Every structure is written in structure tokens, then in C-alpha cells.
Amino acid sequence: MRAKNIAWKAFIHLFMLIIVAFCLFPVIWMMIISFKTVGESISGFSALTVQQPTWANYERLVELIPLWQNLYNSLFTTIIGTITTLFFCALAGFAFAKYKFPGRTALFYFVIGTMMISTEIGAIPLFIIMRKINLINSLWSLILPRIATAVGIFYMRQYILGVPDEIIEAARIDGCKDFGIFTRIILPIIKPALASWASLTIIARWNDFFWPLLFLRKTSKYTLMVSVSMLPVSDGLSTPWQVVLAGTTLVVVPSILIYLALQTLQKSGIMAGAVKG
Amino acid sequence: MLKALKKHRYPYLFISPYILLFLFFQLIPVIWTVQISFNEWDGLRTMKPAGLDNYGLMLQDYMFLDAIRNTLYYWVLSAAGVLLLAIAIASFLNSDNLRAKTFFRTTTFLPYVCASVAMGLIFSMLFEENSGLINEIIVKAGGNRVPWLTSSSTARIPVVILHVWRLTPWYTMIVLSGLLNIPEEYYEAAHIDGASGAQQFSNITLPLLGNILFFCFVTITVDSWKLFNESYVLSGPGSSNTSLFQLMYQTGFTTFKLGYASAIGVVLILILLSISIVQFAIRRRQGEL
């Protein structure tokens, strides 16, 4: 029995270590190659050792694509997109959680129902709409349609339901108006929910590819993700892999760092909080 | 009516941004897609009514049939792969026998935060026919080089592997949250009754996870039918690994056949809608709604 238990324990750890290796390997491998000189071999196993580490691939990147402009575009859409979506999802979630009004249940089921319709399906007319309102090549085309999302509203509502009514009543008696209650009472209380939702949104927006590809049609307007996706063909159809992987390192490492930072910030595990309930 | 609206103006006001955005950027585009699909249009000149021509064209279009076949392949294999891996990893992460749980939880989640486009580029190098690491390993093990992304018969495999690689962490976490909700007493009782670990897993864990696994299956289904980034970056020869959604994008925005692209969009709408209806019906039967 004891021997069997030890064998089982060993098996679990071995299995998990293999999974971890699979999870980390592509990322580590990418980072190693991004520091190799263009002349060094990158085929097969020889890819895993670096003879002369160099920053040259990153410098080459700046020559190939408008890196700083693209980085700014990515940061702008990610940051503004996250802030606006947090605000408006929490606002609607607050209305569903703490107000009684005609049609509340019906409207709430309606919002849940809209989750079934993916925005991507309407991509063709959406492109026409964006062209009509002059948002093609504008970063706002990425922010505006997702200023409030059904999933976000649902998540915020679940969390705000747990805020005691007495606090809101007390604020109202003290003369706090509806919008004031939201900004001064609700928002500070739901900070943990905002933080978990923010981390998921930041990563999703930073990694966003389809929408920027569709709406942004000028190199100077591209987000980093679009520029990087075009790297293999940006240096006359044969960009060295070292340079391509320097580009992917630049987009992957920030999301990993953000995830790790937020993970340590919130011991309970941000992602676990996001799916609960 | 007006009085009620005035009395309850704040909640309506707070919800209105979402409703407006939904109408403008979701509902109208979907309805419009259906309308465009009955026309011939390049996006610039006026539309020409085409009746059901676009739909008739589909049945003879080998690219469309390829895309349907590829997407079915992606759906079935990713659903199976992701669910099996997620159940295994989540169970181990939840096991009392595992040390360093925080380390394992953090690292196994990492693929989910990595951009699929960037990872796609990396996978295209790993699966490269002549210098890629995967083939190098196969050759070392005594096998022959596989022309992964240059042959139409194997081009779908790297796409599925990347999709499973990126999605498994997310579903692992959902399954894990389900496991954490199963009361410890159930296992204690089963233990006293002499049930083995395997018996406990199949008689307690799996049935109690039923709803969560069903939810995961539905969302993976939706994710797979919307698959775009992976097959876009890891493109094989011709339409050998094009997904249905990708075909819609290409038809619409590289060949500018907006009518035909919209017809493909309508097919996607119908597929996703029937998934939702099935999900709704099953949930209702289980008394959840």
C-alpha cells in the first residue's frame, strides 16, 4: 500500500513536470533564439545554445517596423479599452444588482442571451459601419464596440450583489446621488473584482489580433501584434527567424510579466476569482 | 410608461451604453450579414440581388467544403484534447499528493496569456520541415521527416496542437474551480465504504463535474468554430487548413466578394445559434433556467 502510494505520488509529479515543460518550452526557446546572431545555427537542438548573445535582432526590429509607434498603439488600446470596459460593465452590473425597475429580469436575460452572438460573425457589415463613421485606421474602432460586454456585466453584477444594501441606503440618507453612490461607494468596494477583470481584459486586449487586422490598414496604425504577425514577410519575404522571434518575445513577455505581477499581488489567484459564481 | 421611465431613469441610464453598443455593433451587423448574403457586392458599387446564388455556390466550392471539414476536425480534436488534459491536470493540481501547488498552478496557466499569433510563429518554426525541432526529434528517434505545414494532409495538426496548448490552461482552471466545490465529506464517506481512488473519481468526481464539463464543451465548441489566429499564422498549402471563419475573412477582405463572404457568415451564425439552442434546451431540462 505504501509503496503503491509513493509510486502514485511520483507519477503525479512526473506528469505535472512534463506538462510544465510543454508549457514553458516554446517560450524559453523563443527567448534564447531571439538573442542569437543571424549567422548562428537555429535548426534542431543546436538552437538551444547561444554562442554570442546579442541585441542586434531587437535593433533590426526597430528598422523593419515602426516599433515605438506600434507599441504606443497597443498600449493605448489596451489601457483605454480596459478602463472604459471596467467602468461601463460595473455601471450596468450595479444597475442590475441594486435597482428594482420594470423589465429588470427580462433585460438581464437579454444581456445573457447576447453572449451567444459573437461579434466576429458580423465582421463584414461591421467593417462597412466603421468605414461610414470614419473609424477605419482609428484606434477607437478597437475600443468603442467593446466598451461594455455582456460577460463583464454578468461578472460585475454577481460581485455587486454581495455588497450590503445598508451601505447604499446610508449613503443615500447622507445625500449621495445615484452616480455618486456608484463612484464613491460601489467602485471602492468592488476593487478585487475590478482587479481580476482588469487583468483578464488587459491580456485579451494586448493579444487581440483579428480586430486590429481588420480595422487598421496602415503600418503606422498597426498594433504591435499585427506588425509582429507580418514580420516573416517584412524583410523581403525572408526575415531571419532570430528577428521574428525577437518580435514575438516583445509581445509575449509583457503579458507573462503582467500575469505574474498580478498573480503575486493577489494571493487568492486572480483567475480563480474571475470564473467563480 | 414615461413616468416609470423617469422614476427609474438611473438604472436604465446605467444599462443604456451596453444596449446601444449591442444594437449598433452586434445586432445590426448580424442582420445586415443575412441581407448582404442574398446579393453580389464588392463593397463599393451598388449591390446586385443574387437570390440564393451565394448559397448554391457553396456546395460546389471545394474551398468552402475544405473549410467545413477543417473546422469540424479542429472542433472535435480540440474538444477531446482540451477536456481530457484539463480534467487530468486539474485533478492533479487538486490532489493532496502534489507538492508546490502554487508553482504548478502558475506555470501551467502561462500558455493562456501568451498571444496565439506570436505562438503561431514559434510553432511554425518548431514544425518547420527541414530545420524544425520536432522533425529533428523524429529523425533522432529513427523516423522520417514529416512535411507538417507543406503537405495538405498534415497541415491541420500543428493548428490543433497550438489551439489545445493555448486553451487547456483556461479550462483546467474552470474544472479546478469545480473540483474545489465538491464537498470533502463525499470522498471521506466513499473512503470509509472502501471505494478505490479510481472508483471515487468515476462515481463522485465526474458526475458532479457534469455541468461544468458540459459548459466547457459548449465554450470550446464556440471557440473552435471561431478559430482564426492559429490557422491564419500556421497556413498550409491552399485551403488545406483554412478554418471557416478564416475563409469568411479571406473571401470578404482579400477577394472582396462580400456577398459570398456574408453567406459563409450566415452559415456560421446558424451553427453557433444551434449550439446555443441545444445548450439552452439541455440546461432547461436539467432545471437550471
Side-chain angles (χ1 to χ4, degrees):
Chain A
M1 192 67 201
R2 230 187 115 74
K4 206 176 144 197
N5 203 16
I6 289 171
W8 176 238
K9 255 187 194 172
F11 171 76
I12 289 182
H13 284 87
L14 188 68
F15 179 88
M16 290 307 288
L17 283 173
I18 293 171
I19 294 288
V20 168
F22 271 110
C23 291
L24 298 185
F25 176 76
V27 177
I28 293 169
W29 185 76
M30 155 189 91
M31 291 198 268
I32 292 175
I33 293 186
S34 79
F35 290 108
K36 286 168 83 104
T37 56
V38 175
E40 251 180 89
S41 164
I42 48 162
S43 65
F45 288 102
S46 58
L48 291 169
T49 50
V50 189
Q51 251 93 58
Q52 304 154 291
T54 170
W55 288 101
N57 302 317
Y58 291 88
E59 284 156 16
R60 185 82 188 104
L61 218 49
V62 182
E63 296 163 23
L64 281 177
I65 56 173
L67 185 74
W68 300 113
Q69 182 63 40
N70 294 160
L71 180 65
Y72 167 80
N73 295 344
S74 279
L75 286 175
F76 181 84
T77 43
T78 303
I79 294 168
I80 305 289
T82 304
I83 293 173
T84 48
T85 204
L86 282 182
F87 182 82
F88 285 101
C89 287
L91 191 63
F94 170 52
F96 279 122
K98 291 297 167 192
Y99 284 90
K100 281 193 179 63
F101 52 93
R104 179 172 79 163
T105 324
L107 270 173
F108 186 64
Y109 276 120
F110 172 76
V111 171
I112 304 275
T114 63
M115 281 191 219
M116 306 293 175
I117 307 178
S118 320
T119 321
E120 286 93 338
I121 291 172
I124 288 159
L126 203 48
F127 181 83
I128 312 280
I129 292 175
M130 287 297 176
R131 200 169 64 186
K132 285 233 162 84
I133 57 177
N134 272 327
L135 284 184
I136 296 297
N137 283 329
S138 161
L139 298 176
W140 288 99
S141 65
L142 304 176
I143 297 168
L144 201 59
R146 287 174 291 174
I147 258 181
T149 61
V151 200
I153 293 173
F154 178 74
Y155 175 58
M156 290 299 172
R157 172 195 175 257
Q158 299 303 93
Y159 202 91
I160 297 173
L161 276 178
V163 177
D165 287 336
E166 291 77 22
I167 301 179
I168 297 170
E169 282 314 310
R172 211 179 279 279
I173 291 164
D174 289 344
C176 205
K177 289 280 190 301
D178 296 74
F179 191 66
I181 293 175
F182 175 67
T183 52
R184 272 183 261 159
I185 313 287
I186 299 292
L187 284 184
I189 294 180
I190 61 166
K191 258 187 208 150
L194 292 174
S196 356
W197 200 247
S199 56
L200 287 176
T201 314
I202 289 172
I203 289 166
R205 296 293 164 94
W206 175 263
N207 290 347
D208 196 11
F209 177 64
F210 177 71
W211 295 113
L213 182 73
L214 183 60
F215 293 144
L216 309 174
R217 304 252 147 191
K218 270 203 304 226
T219 4
S220 63
K221 283 294 173 190
Y222 285 168
T223 56
L224 203 52
M225 207 55 75
V226 178
S227 281
V228 165
S229 81
M230 294 179 178
L231 272 179
V233 289
S234 53
D235 192 9
L237 282 170
S238 57
T239 315
W241 275 109
Q242 287 87 334
V243 178
V244 175
L245 295 192
T248 58
T249 305
L250 278 188
V251 296
V252 167
V253 169
S255 24
I256 293 180
L257 290 181
I258 286 176
Y259 164 67
L260 291 179
L262 287 163
Q263 189 75 2
T264 29
L265 214 73
Q266 282 182 297
K267 281 262 158 65
S268 55
I270 39 166
M271 305 300 174
V275 276
K276 213 182 135 212
Chain B
M1 179 73 189
L2 265 177
K3 232 175 152 181
L5 217 60
K6 194 160 183 225
K7 190 178 160 214
H8 299 286
R9 65 183 179 283
Y10 283 107
Y12 288 127
L13 197 66
F14 292 167
I15 296 165
S16 59
Y18 176 71
I19 304 290
L20 287 175
L21 290 169
F22 170 76
L23 291 178
F24 204 59
F25 293 116
Q26 263 180 294
L27 193 61
I28 292 176
V30 166
I31 295 169
W32 203 359
T33 305
V34 179
Q35 194 250 329
I36 300 175
S37 77
F38 296 113
N39 291 280
E40 206 190 305
W41 194 32
D42 63 0
L44 297 167
R45 277 166 292 188
T46 44
M47 286 189 208
K48 264 193 282 178
L52 288 169
D53 286 2
N54 288 324
Y55 293 92
L57 194 63
M58 269 178 197
L59 300 171
Q60 297 146 23
D61 180 7
Y62 75 94
M63 281 174 72
F64 174 78
L65 298 174
D66 272 355
I68 290 272
R69 208 175 305 132
N70 294 339
T71 314
L72 278 170
Y73 180 99
Y74 295 148
W75 171 39
V76 173
L77 286 186
S78 357
V82 169
L83 283 180
L84 284 177
L85 279 170
I87 293 171
I89 299 172
S91 312
F92 289 157
L93 282 175
N94 194 36
S95 160
D96 293 330
N97 287 320
L98 188 76
R99 301 279 176 84
K101 274 190 183 157
T102 326
F103 165 77
F104 283 114
R105 265 183 216 187
T106 311
T107 44
T108 52
F109 192 75
L110 275 183
Y112 184 72
V113 308
C114 298
S116 49
V117 176
M119 298 321 291
L121 291 172
I122 296 164
F123 273 55
S124 72
M125 197 184 160
L126 284 171
F127 282 98
E128 220 274 319
E129 190 181 345
N130 297 311
S131 62
L133 189 67
I134 310 276
N135 271 349
E136 203 84 351
I137 293 172
I138 291 176
V139 168
K140 280 252 158 72
N144 290 322
R145 289 185 187 276
V146 181
W148 298 106
L149 287 165
T150 42
S151 152
S152 50
S153 57
T154 47
R156 287 176 298 209
I157 298 170
V159 176
V160 169
I161 295 179
L162 175 58
H163 200 224
V164 171
W165 187 83
R166 270 206 75 243
L167 284 187
T168 301
W170 177 253
Y171 291 99
T172 300
M173 196 191 58
I174 295 176
V175 174
L176 182 60
S177 75
L179 287 176
L180 291 170
N181 281 334
I182 299 177
E184 195 61 32
E185 292 84 45
Y186 289 11
Y187 293 106
E188 282 163 20
H191 189 72
I192 293 168
D193 290 346
S196 71
Q199 281 171 329
Q200 289 179 22
F201 183 77
S202 60
N203 292 323
I204 301 174
T205 314
L206 279 184
L208 285 174
L209 275 182
N211 280 341
I212 285 199
L213 293 180
F214 178 67
F215 166 79
C216 291
F217 176 71
V218 171
T219 37
I220 296 172
T221 305
V222 175
D223 286 339
S224 306
W225 282 95
K226 287 198 312 191
L227 184 130
F228 177 84
N229 300 0
E230 289 83 356
S231 57
Y232 180 88
V233 180
L234 290 168
S235 62
S239 55
S240 59
N241 68 357
T242 310
S243 72
L244 192 58
F245 186 57
Q246 190 190 352
L247 184 69
M248 177 181 107
Y249 175 84
Q250 282 171 0
T251 319
F253 299 103
T254 45
T255 52
F256 297 102
K257 289 189 216 151
L258 295 190
Y260 189 46
S262 298
I264 298 173
V266 171
V267 171
L268 266 172
I269 294 172
L270 291 177
I271 290 168
L272 292 177
L273 209 64
S274 31
I275 297 166
S276 319
I277 290 170
V278 169
Q279 182 197 22
F280 189 76
I282 292 179
R283 288 216 159 175
R284 216 175 150 138
R285 196 187 293 165
Q286 291 170 338
E288 275 182 43
L289 279 176

